[in-house]
């Protein structure tokens, strides 16, 4: 590829990416908001705000104590922002309840939404509701007085979007700058990238034949042969399923059977762990080719990725089959698995180019990779839900690129979410992957002149 067309392509790509980020990037609404309710009641009570997107659950509640001796008071409730249905419970005693205002607050903004949601929402054990000068007065006559707030009256989603507008635009500008710098780095590495990509395409027949031989040679001499490539992962899935669901009693995940949720996460991890382990030692395994001057040794890591891809193509059908066995029909979102496969192949190549070249000079690399794989399966996460971690710390786990891929497979089969609906996470993944690819290729090219000397 000539430099001028490549530069023109990069400029067009930069413009497209910037426009997509600015126009399509989702708003960064804070994970939780504070609801300040100013009210006065005739008796002491535990006032609660229950939140839901469907059926109200006693586990989803924020509660504050009200003391009648304090008179008119402001109670502040913390509520996750993803819930849009609110129920306001006034305790157990009957009497007069006056609500003066309701406000939504975060660390930068404060919006008054008034008392209209209380007056127009559904009520229980409330005999009458009157509004005078913006003050909503309710008369409770029962043991469970509450109001289901009608948030459609105040455009809650619009309010949250407005409150997060400045924060969102700041992040969008930072992301645009990040990708512009990344594309400039790719232009600077134009020659090395073209050389590497050219070798991948120019030697595709050789790579494919080596990958087939590599796949077959792993099981030469064993009684079951290549069947072991499928037996071991299936047994692993059954063991994890037995331990977590039968032994520990794990429940379904958001209505999805646990075995399907687990299997969909393990399938991409099997390929990642296989390639990272075998790819790191690939130059040592194929040292007889590395020592040949005329052989393009940069094709060897690709062989390991392609060899593992043969098995992966089979295993992709397992979660799809299980999904259909539960009475579900295949859907168009499943085609997105091909995209996440490409993501994983590019990410693995980026990592393996670096680890395979370093492993020849630093013998502890394989041990480090083993530790990373043992820890990585737990921090991705695959066998437990990220919702178990407090919201402020979840972003740490999302820094792991395999989080994007594993949950991408689940989005494609179970959750039915397109990858462009997670624009920021998609941008982060490709930014990190491209940087790793450039760094891995550069390291490989700098060290390959010395490979034969250390083997």
């Amino acid at each position: 590829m000539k430099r001028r067309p490549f530069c023109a392509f990069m400029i067009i790509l930069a413009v497209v990416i910037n426009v997509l980020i600015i126009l399509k990037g989702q708003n960064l609404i804070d994970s939780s908001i504070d609801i300040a309710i100013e009210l006065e009641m005739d008796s002491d009570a535990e006032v609660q705000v229950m939140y839901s997107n469907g059926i109200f659950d006693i586990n989803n509640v924020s509660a504050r104590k009200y003391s009648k001796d304090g008179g008119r008071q402001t109670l502040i409730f913390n509520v996750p922002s993803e819930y849009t249905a609110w129920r306001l419970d006034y305790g157990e005693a009957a009497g007069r309840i006056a609500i003066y205002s309701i406000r939504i607050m975060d660390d930068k903004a404060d919006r008054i939404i008034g008392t209209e949601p209380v007056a127009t929402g559904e009520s229980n054990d409330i005999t009458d509701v009157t509004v005078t000068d913006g003050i909503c007065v309710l008369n409770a006559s029962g043991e469970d007085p509450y109001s289901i707030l009608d948030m459609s009256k105040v455009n809650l989603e619009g309010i949250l979007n407005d409150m997060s507008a400045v924060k969102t635009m700041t992040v969008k500008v930072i992301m645009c700058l990040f990708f512009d710098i990344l594309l400039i780095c790719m232009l600077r590495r134009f020659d090395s990238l073209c050389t590497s990509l050219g070798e991948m395409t120019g030697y595709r027949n050789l790579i494919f034949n080596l990958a087939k031989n590599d796949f077959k040679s792993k099981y030469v001499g064993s009684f079951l042969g290549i069947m072991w490539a499928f037996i071991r992962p299936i047994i692993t899935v059954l063991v994890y399923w037995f331990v977590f669901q039968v032994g520990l009693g794990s429940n379904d995940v958001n209505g999805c059977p646990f075995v399907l949720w687990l299997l969909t996460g393990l399938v991409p991890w099997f390929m990642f762990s296989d390639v990272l382990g075998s790819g790191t030692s690939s130059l040592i395994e194929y040292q007889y080719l590395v020592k040949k001057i005329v052989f393009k040794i940069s094709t060897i890591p690709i062989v390991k990725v392609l060899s593992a891809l043969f098995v992966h193509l089979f295993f992709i059908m397992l979660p799809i089959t299980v999904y259909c066995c539960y009475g579900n029909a295949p859907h168009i979102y499943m085609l997105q698995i091909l995209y996440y496969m490409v993501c994983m192949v590019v990410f693995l190549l980026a990592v393996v180019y670096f680890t395979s070249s370093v492993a020849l000079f630093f013998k502890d690399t394989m041990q480090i990779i083993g530790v990373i794989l043992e820890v990585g399966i737990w921090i991705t996460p695959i066998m437990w839900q990220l919702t178990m971690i407090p919201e402020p710390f979840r972003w740490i786990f999302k820094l792991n690129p395999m989080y994007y891929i594993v949950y991408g497979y689940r989005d494609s089969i179970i959750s039915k979410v397109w990858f462009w609906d997670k624009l920021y996470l998609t941008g982060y993944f490709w930014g990190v992957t491209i940087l790793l690819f450039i760094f891995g290729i550069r390291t490989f090219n700098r060290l390959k002149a010395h490979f034969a000397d250390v083997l």
Side-chain angles (χ1 to χ4, degrees), residues 365-432:
T365 303
M366 285 301 302
Q367 304 302 323
I368 295 173
I369 293 298
V371 172
I372 290 174
L373 291 176
E374 289 181 5
V375 175
I377 194 172
W378 297 103
I379 65 173
T380 297
I382 293 175
M383 289 165 285
W384 55 277
Q385 298 182 65
L386 192 58
T387 52
M388 297 171 64
I389 300 295
E391 176 68 28
F393 303 102
R394 292 178 191 172
W395 66 272
I396 299 174
F397 294 86
K398 294 180 181 180
L399 293 178
N400 176 6
M402 278 304 295
Y403 170 89
Y404 177 74
I405 295 173
V406 167
Y407 275 80
Y409 273 62
R410 286 172 174 162
D411 287 340
S412 302
I413 297 175
I414 301 170
S415 304
K416 300 179 183 179
V417 178
W418 293 114
F419 72 89
W420 54 76
D421 291 331
K422 297 182 175 180
L423 186 60
Y424 293 135
L425 197 58
T426 299
Y428 167 77
F429 171 82
W430 281 110
V432 170

Side-chain angles (χ1 to χ4, degrees), residues 34 45-49 62-66 75-78:
D34 288 329
E46 182 181 67
V47 182
Q48 299 178 340
V49 171
S62 179
R64 296 292 183 269
K65 292 288 186 180
Y66 174 85
L75 306 181
I76 299 177
F77 305 85
N78 188 260

Side-chain angles (χ1 to χ4, degrees), residues 233-234 236-237 240 265-275 315:
I234 291 175
T236 302
V237 171
Y240 283 137
L266 282 174
V267 165
W269 182 261
F270 285 150
M271 179 173 175
F272 174 77
S273 59
D274 182 18
V275 173
F315 274 106

